[in-house]
């Protein structure tokens, strides 16, 4: 009778990011709404203007960008003695800017952190292009299958069963997704350090490698 061999094959690849999407917020607060709202709108226009100068989907440093609507609200805070204080008015807007040039990304963020009122960096999402990610996923899947076949053959060789023959192959767990692209920067988004140079602030954002991994389950038979 043939002997069944069931194995799991795995493979992971690491690739330097090709895109960095800046996620930032413009937010201010004050005792009256109109000045707060006007300053956020002015800051947003400054950001938009700087992005438009860099935006070119084919060859420019910025490939895509998006801004949300300006939100306003008010709240009445409490002090440490339990007394309710006067209303504080808030205005904020979120934005995303995707860069292919990481040096320009760092410069752009640094300029706005220093010069644009209310600008705060929420993080940077490091990614691959869709085309390259698909190619890398195909490669990773293939290598995971090859790893499963190698493992199965090693088990068969240990028992002197001869060549193995594939019977079934599936994503890990049979119902799992198998391909699991994970950016090592997904939790912290970026590594950033700030230092002074020529009276200004130099911001450094260092992208982490992106991990693309695949696990497959496979059934083989040998002997018999």
């Amino acid at each position: 009778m043939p002997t069944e061999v069931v194995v799991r094959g795995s493979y992971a690849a690491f690739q330097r990011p090709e895109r960095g999407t800046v996620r930032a917020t413009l937010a201010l607060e004050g005792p009256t709404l109109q000045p707060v709202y006007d300053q956020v709108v002015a800051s947003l226009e400054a950001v938009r203007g700087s992005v438009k100068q860099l935006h070119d989907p084919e060859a420019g440093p910025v490939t895509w960008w998006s801004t949300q609507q300006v939100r306003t609200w008010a709240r009445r805070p409490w002090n440490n003695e339990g007394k309710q204080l006067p209303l504080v008015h808030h205005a904020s807007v979120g934005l995303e800017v995707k860069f292919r040039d990481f040096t320009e990304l760092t410069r752009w963020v640094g300029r706005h952190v220093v010069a644009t009122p209310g600008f705060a960096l929420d993080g940077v999402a490091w990614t691959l292009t869709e085309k390259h990610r698909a190619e890398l996923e195909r490669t990773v899947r293939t290598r995971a299958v090859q790893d499963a076949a190698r493992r199965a053959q090693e088990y068969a060789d240990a028992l002197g069963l001869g060549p193995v023959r594939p019977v079934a192959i599936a994503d890990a767990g049979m119902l799992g997704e198998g391909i699991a692209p994970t950016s090592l920067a997904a939790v912290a988004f970026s590594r950033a350090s700030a230092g002074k140079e020529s009276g200004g602030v130099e911001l450094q954002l260092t992208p982490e490698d992106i991990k693309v991994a695949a696990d497959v389950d496979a059934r083989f038979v040998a002997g018999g």
Side-chain angles (χ1 to χ4, degrees):
M1 261 185 88
T3 299
E4 186 176 77
V5 182
V6 180
V7 295
R8 174 164 292 182
S10 303
Y11 190 79
F14 295 84
Q15 180 67 45
R16 299 295 291 171
E18 298 168 305
R19 298 291 185 270
T21 301
V22 174
R23 295 169 179 167
T25 301
L26 297 168
L28 292 168
E29 62 181 52
T32 55
L33 175 59
Q34 197 62 47
V36 171
Y37 177 84
D38 291 344
Q39 181 59 73
V40 168
V41 170
S43 293
L44 180 58
E45 287 306 309
V47 169
R48 282 175 171 167
S50 67
V51 171
K52 289 177 181 178
Q53 293 177 359
L54 302 173
H55 181 220
D56 182 344
E58 300 301 324
V62 172
T63 63
W64 172 89
W65 63 285
S66 174
T67 62
Q68 301 171 359
Q69 296 294 320
V70 177
R71 295 173 51 246
T72 61
W73 71 98
R75 66 182 183 88
R76 194 181 297 275
W78 300 80
N79 66 12
N80 55 9
E81 297 177 350
K83 180 180 179 181
Q84 199 166 29
L85 302 177
L87 275 175
V88 177
H89 294 270
H90 300 260
S92 73
V93 60
L95 58 104
E96 295 185 355
V97 185
K98 184 180 290 187
F99 287 81
R100 65 158 53 90
D101 184 331
F102 297 162
T103 299
E104 191 59 49
L105 180 155
T106 301
R107 291 174 182 157
W108 183 85
V109 170
R111 287 197 301 268
H112 286 294
V113 165
V114 172
T116 304
F119 184 94
L121 174 65
D122 298 326
V124 180
W126 307 104
T127 58
L128 303 173
T129 62
E130 290 296 324
K131 179 180 178 181
H132 192 186
R133 185 182 66 178
E135 292 172 351
L136 192 57
E137 287 177 351
R138 284 194 294 271
T139 298
V140 166
R141 274 194 291 259
T142 299
R143 297 294 290 272
V145 171
Q146 293 171 346
D147 180 59
R150 177 187 60 79
R151 289 171 182 262
Q153 190 60 59
E154 288 176 354
Y155 285 127
D157 291 345
L159 297 172
L161 298 175
V164 296
R165 302 184 300 278
V167 174
I169 189 164
D171 292 338
M174 304 300 176
L175 298 178
E177 293 182 352
I179 292 293
T182 306
S183 168
L184 300 183
V187 176
F189 291 105
S190 64
R191 292 177 177 174
S193 61
K196 298 235 175 178
E197 182 175 300
S198 301
V201 175
E202 182 185 11
L203 183 68
Q204 296 178 346
L205 299 174
T206 304
E208 300 283 358
D209 284 353
I210 292 172
K211 177 184 178 182
V212 180
D215 296 316
V216 298
D217 290 341
R219 182 179 291 112
F220 297 81
V221 294

